[in-house]
Every structure is written in structure tokens, then in C-alpha cells.
């Protein structure tokens, strides 16, 4: 039985456009000029390559001369242009170009340059819809680095309303983008504040007292160098034999290099992999108690965390159970965070950088009394809690925008 074709209208529409009719379903080059012709490169310019843009923001500026420019530097940008990442387009690292300065900007041919016939802001928003990106990906070639050429991109279809509705949607979503950017800036400011505070609360290299001390500890004297082995019980890790499936997926959380993205965030709550009681018993792996501090000594050298629940670790990690009478575990975690650049610098190896066990056996740290340690740890952890709360707000804003976009843009699947 033939079904009636669904009208191409969004589920959510501004009141003044509810009777404006269907959206048009057009090819991209009906909505914009793709790779407009350019003149000679300027003598000097900011070069935008595929590493320069992230989440709609220009994160890196490379000032180069015409003579030193790579052959891929071809897209001379004008305010209002949109550059679309044609390599791995699912990353959505596109940019709405709008800079209020006198510098020249040129983008790499890793981007398609789009110059809108209608609302520039609408064009930028619509190319980020899941529907449009899916259509682009269906025309991509390559598996590891899927890419689309500009001529194929120009023929990808998208849904477009009348110009006034385009602008209304663009203004609304750009205001949400401004909120998201402001929230991200707030998080960056808090992280910068924390970094500066750590530099004040922990002595600098060659110094024995911090620049900033809490009341009650102003006359507490110098921090004392102590051997870590006398302040915490060091534990090891191991990988159960992977030939035996029964050694895995048994409910015991097991920290491995697969969890690198979860480190440096305070508590470690979950692990990507689990081992079984049988795997624990038939290997050198050890179940470390909650509140143990763990540190990666291989790939991701210097990343650390505090175990929220009992977990085992792989041989790529060192684990310390702190003696509460000598070393506060959270103070030690923040101290390791401060030492991370030093740990990265001493790691050796060609393919995978690593730090030998001997370094940790002879490791010496400077520490004040346990009560002062706790004050420092509590201060920094409260900042971390604030940063985490603000990060949750940021994710909520992003989710809100994504949900609105699904409502504001029709899905033309049945029309393709």
C-alpha cells in the first residue's frame, strides 16, 4: 500500500512560521557557494588547519607568510564564511568565521569553504544536524579517515525554510551557543584559578615552604622531605592471562590503560574492564582498597586518581595505600598532579614512555603535618567539586541544544 508522503516541517516551530508551509529539500550548493574563487594569498595570514578548530572554536592560531605557506593553504576567508571539516566530518569541528580584527585568515583544503546565499548563521547550524552529517558520511570514502570531496559535499541535500525563519532559528541557536561558550569560559577560569592556587599552596622547586598558608599553620615551619616508602604502602598490579575468558568480566573493577581518560579527575568510579575472582587468584593482581591512590607509569605517564571502591590494577600502574598518620591520600593525589610535568619528563622509551619502578621505590616528597595536608586537600577538592558541577551544567546546556535542534530541524529521511 502506498503511504502518504510526510510534510517536510519541523516538530517545533516559532509561532509566526507555523503557517509558513513546508521547508525545501535542496542540495547544499543551492544554499551556499562551495569553495568560492579566491585571489592571491595575502603576504601574511593566520593559517587554519584541521588541528586549529575544536567544537566551533579557533583554539590555535598559526601566523605564517605567503612564502612559507603549505600548498593546502587556499581558502581565503571572509566574515560570515563557514568552513566545514571534510576529513572525519563526524567530529563536527567546523567554524563560523567572524573575527573583528585586521588579520587575514586562510583555511586548509581540509575544509570546504561555504558562503551562504541566505542566513550565514542558519547554514552553520544546519550542517551540524545529525541528519546532514549522516548524509555526508554516506558519501565519504576511507575507513580510518573518512573524507568527502567538495564536489560531492555540494550535492548533499539539506532542508531549508524561508529566509526569515532561517534567521530566527540562527539567532535562537546562536544565543544558546553564547551561553555554552560562557559556561566553558567559566570552567576554564576555575581551572586557571585552581592551577594558580596549587602553585601557592605547594612549595615551588627549591623552596621548603609554600607562598600561601592557612591560618594556624603560618608558623608551622618548613615542609620536611620524607621517603614515600615510609609514608604509604606501595602496591603493584598485573594482567591476568587473557587466554582464559573466565579470568575476566567477573565484577572486580580492574584499572588499565583503557581508563586513561577517566584519570586526573579525582575519584575513579568505573573501569572499562573487569576481572573475576578466579583471575585475581591466578595472577599477581591485588585488590586494592577504596581511597588508594593510583598512578600511571606507562602510556599517559603521571595521570593519577583515587579509587572510590576496591579495585585491582594492571602492571602499568603503581598504587599507594596512605598511612593516615603520615600522609593524607588526597593531599598525595594533588601533589602527584603538581608533579605530573616532572614525571612526564623523566619517562623514557621510544614507542611507549615509562618510568621504572626504582624511581618510585626511592621517591622523596616534601610534606607538612597531616592536619595541614588535610586543609590543603579539602581546599583543592572543594574547587574540583565546583568545577565538576559547572561541567555538568555545560553538558546539560549542550544536551538541551541538541534536543532543540532535533525539534527545530525536520528530518527528511522519507524524502531521500
Amino acid at each position: 500500500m502506498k503511504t502518504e508522503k510526510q510534510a517536510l516541517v519541523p516538530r517545533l516551530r516559532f509561532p509566526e512560521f507555523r503557517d509558513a508551509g513546508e521547508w525545501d529539500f535542496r542540495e547544499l550548493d543551492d544554499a551556499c557557494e562551495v569553495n568560492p574563487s579566491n585571489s592571491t594569498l595575502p603576504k601574511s595570514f593566520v593559517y587554519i588547519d584541521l588541528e586549529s578548530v575544536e567544537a566551533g572554536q579557533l583554539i590555535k592560531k598559526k601566523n605564517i607568510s605567503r612564502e612559507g605557506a603549505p600548498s593546502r593553504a587556499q581558502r581565503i576567508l571572509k566574515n560570515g564564511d563557514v568552513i566545514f571539516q571534510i576529513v572525519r566530518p563526524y567530529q563536527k569541528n567546523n567554524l563560523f568565521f567572524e573575527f573583528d580584527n585586521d588579520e587575514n585568515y586562510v583555511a586548509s583544503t581540509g575544509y570546504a569553504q561555504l558562503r551562504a546565499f541566505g542566513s550565514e548563521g542558519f547554514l552553520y547550524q544546519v550542517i551540524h544536524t545529525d541528519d546532514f552529517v549522516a548524509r555526508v558520511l554516506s558519501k565519504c570514502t576511507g575507513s580510518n579517515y573518512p573524507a568527502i570531496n567538495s564536489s560531492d559535499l555540494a550535492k548533499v541535500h539539506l532542508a531549508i525554510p524561508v529566509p526569515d525563519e532561517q534567521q530566527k532559528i540562527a539567532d535562537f541557536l546562536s544565543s544558546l551557543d553564547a551561553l555554552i561558550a560562557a559556561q566553558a569560559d567559566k570552567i576554564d577560569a576555575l581551572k586557571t584559578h585552581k592551577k594558580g592556587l596549587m602553585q601557592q599552596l605547594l612549595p615551588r622547586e627549591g623552596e621548603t615552604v609554600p607562598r600561601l598558608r592557612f591560618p594556624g599553620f603560618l608558623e608551622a615551619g618548613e615542609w620536611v622531605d620524607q621517603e614515600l616508602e615510609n609514608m604509604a604502602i606501595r602496591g603493584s598490579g598485573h594482567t591476568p592471562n587473557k587466554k582464559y575468558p573466565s579470568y575476566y568480566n567477573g565484577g572486580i573493577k580492574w584499572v588499565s590503560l583503557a581508563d586513561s581518560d577517566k584519570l586526573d579527575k579525582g575519584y575513579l568510579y568505573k573501569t572499562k574492564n573487569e576481572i573475576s575472582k578466579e583471575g585475581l587468584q591466578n595472577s599477581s593482581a591485588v585488590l586494592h582498597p577504596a581511597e588508594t591512590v593510583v598512578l600511571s607509569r606507562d602510556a599517559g605517564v603521571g595521570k593519577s586518581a583515587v579509587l572510590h571502591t576496591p579495585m585491582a590494577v594492571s602492571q602499568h600502574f603503581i598504587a599507594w595505600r596512605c598511612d593516615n598518620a603520615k600522609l593524607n591520600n588526597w593531599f598525595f593525589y594533588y601533589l602527584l598532579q603538581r608533579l605530573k610535568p616532572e614525571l612526564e619528563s623523566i619517562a623514557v622509551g621510544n614507542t611507549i614512555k615509562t618510568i621504572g619502578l626504582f624511581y618510585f621505590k626511592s621517591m622523596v616528597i616534601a610534606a607538612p603535618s597531616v592536619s595541614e595536608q588535610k586543609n590543603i586537600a579539602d581546599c583543592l577538592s572543594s574547587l574540583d567539586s565546583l568545577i565538576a558541577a559547572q561541567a555538568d551544567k555545560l553538558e546539560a546546556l549542550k544536551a538541551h541544544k541538541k534536543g532543540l535542534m532535533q525539534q527545530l530541524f525536520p528530518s527528511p529521511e522519507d524524502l531521500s
Side-chain angles (χ1 to χ4, degrees):
M1 177 185 287
K2 187 175 180 181
T3 58
E4 186 177 349
K5 191 175 180 180
Q6 183 179 341
L8 189 60
V9 294
R11 282 171 283 181
L12 181 64
R13 213 163 185 182
F14 293 101
E16 62 267 41
F17 299 106
R18 285 174 185 162
D19 298 319
E22 292 187 46
W23 289 28
D24 289 332
F25 193 50
R26 302 179 185 174
E27 293 176 348
L28 179 64
D29 59 3
D30 287 329
C32 65
E33 187 177 4
V34 179
N35 295 339
S37 58
N38 285 311
S39 55
T40 305
L41 290 177
K43 290 183 179 179
S44 63
F45 53 87
V46 176
Y47 178 51
I48 302 176
D49 62 15
L50 291 176
E51 295 179 353
S52 303
V53 179
E54 186 175 304
Q57 300 295 317
L58 184 62
I59 60 171
K60 294 180 182 177
K61 292 182 67 173
K62 303 176 183 177
N63 291 281
I64 61 175
S65 65
R66 182 196 301 161
E67 290 73 21
S71 60
R72 294 174 67 84
Q74 294 182 22
R75 317 285 191 220
I76 302 174
L77 301 178
K78 293 172 60 176
N79 270 350
D81 283 351
V82 174
I83 54 174
F84 182 86
Q85 179 184 2
I86 60 175
V87 180
R88 291 184 287 185
Y90 56 83
Q91 292 180 332
K92 300 184 180 181
N93 286 330
N94 311 310
L95 181 69
F96 180 69
F97 184 75
E98 191 175 33
F99 288 92
D100 194 15
N101 57 41
D102 295 329
E103 292 183 288
N104 296 305
Y105 288 79
V106 177
S108 160
T109 52
Y111 297 97
Q113 182 180 4
L114 312 179
R115 188 165 292 164
F117 298 140
S119 168
E120 300 153 346
F122 176 84
L123 176 66
Y124 176 71
Q125 298 293 344
V126 74
I127 64 170
H128 287 87
T129 59
D130 291 341
D131 179 82
F132 182 78
V133 173
R135 290 177 183 279
V136 171
L137 288 172
S138 70
K139 294 179 178 291
C140 283
T141 58
S143 53
N144 293 332
Y145 296 93
I148 186 171
N149 61 53
S150 294
S151 58
D152 286 340
L153 177 68
K155 299 305 175 185
V156 175
H157 282 76
L158 72 168
I160 306 172
V162 296
D164 286 349
E165 190 171 5
Q166 289 183 36
Q167 194 57 51
K168 185 79 173 185
I169 293 170
D171 291 344
F172 176 68
L173 292 177
S174 65
S175 67
L176 258 181
D177 284 339
L179 279 176
I180 291 169
Q183 184 65 22
D185 288 344
K186 184 185 293 185
I187 293 169
D188 288 341
L190 283 170
K191 288 179 177 178
T192 300
H193 175 60
K194 178 192 166 187
K195 183 178 180 180
L197 196 56
M198 286 182 72
Q199 292 172 343
Q200 298 292 315
L201 290 171
L202 302 173
R204 301 183 184 186
E205 187 176 354
E207 298 179 356
T208 56
V209 293
R211 305 287 178 93
L212 179 64
R213 257 176 147 163
F214 294 100
F217 302 102
L218 297 175
E219 306 298 330
E222 298 180 347
W223 288 25
V224 179
D225 283 344
Q226 301 179 60
E227 292 184 1
L228 181 56
E229 295 281 285
N230 294 329
M231 305 174 75
I233 298 173
R234 177 174 44 81
S236 60
H238 195 259
T239 299
N241 195 326
K242 293 186 177 179
K243 291 182 180 179
Y244 300 96
S246 61
Y247 288 0
Y248 288 85
N249 302 316
I252 297 175
K253 294 172 184 175
W254 180 66
V255 187
S256 66
L257 294 180
D259 300 305
S260 291
D261 62 331
K262 301 183 184 73
L263 304 179
D264 288 346
K265 297 177 181 178
Y267 268 133
L268 178 61
Y269 293 93
K270 297 180 180 179
T271 60
K272 185 173 182 179
N273 300 301
E274 293 180 347
I275 62 174
S276 65
K277 186 175 180 180
E278 185 181 355
L280 193 66
Q281 292 171 341
N282 288 278
S283 71
S284 299
V286 176
L287 188 61
H288 301 288
E291 303 300 325
T292 296
V293 180
V294 296
L295 176 84
S296 174
R297 65 188 186 95
D298 286 330
V301 168
K303 288 190 171 186
S304 56
V306 178
L307 303 184
H308 185 259
T309 56
M311 300 182 192
V313 303
S314 76
Q315 68 274 18
H316 302 289
F317 290 82
I318 304 289
W320 288 276
R321 189 168 77 248
C322 297
D323 182 341
N324 291 329
K326 298 178 181 178
L327 184 62
N328 176 279
N329 64 328
W330 282 100
F331 169 81
F332 183 47
Y333 164 75
Y334 287 113
L335 189 61
L336 289 175
Q337 291 282 298
R338 174 72 183 277
L339 292 173
K340 188 178 176 184
E342 179 182 330
L343 295 171
E344 291 173 335
S345 69
I346 64 173
V348 296
N350 294 324
T351 306
I352 297 178
K353 301 279 188 180
T354 188
I355 302 176
L357 186 58
F358 175 79
Y359 174 84
F360 299 106
K361 287 182 177 179
S362 58
M363 190 173 181
V364 173
I365 63 172
S369 66
V370 173
S371 56
E372 187 173 1
Q373 291 178 32
K374 187 175 185 306
N375 272 263
I376 293 169
D378 288 348
C379 173
L380 295 174
S381 64
S382 67
L383 256 180
D384 274 344
S385 296
L386 181 57
I387 291 169
Q390 296 300 322
D392 287 343
K393 288 183 180 180
L394 177 61
E395 292 308 309
L397 281 170
K398 289 178 178 179
H400 178 57
K401 183 191 174 186
K402 183 175 181 179
L404 281 172
M405 288 186 70
Q406 291 171 344
Q407 301 288 316
L408 288 169
F409 293 88
S411 178
E413 289 180 352
D414 55 319
L415 303 181
S416 58

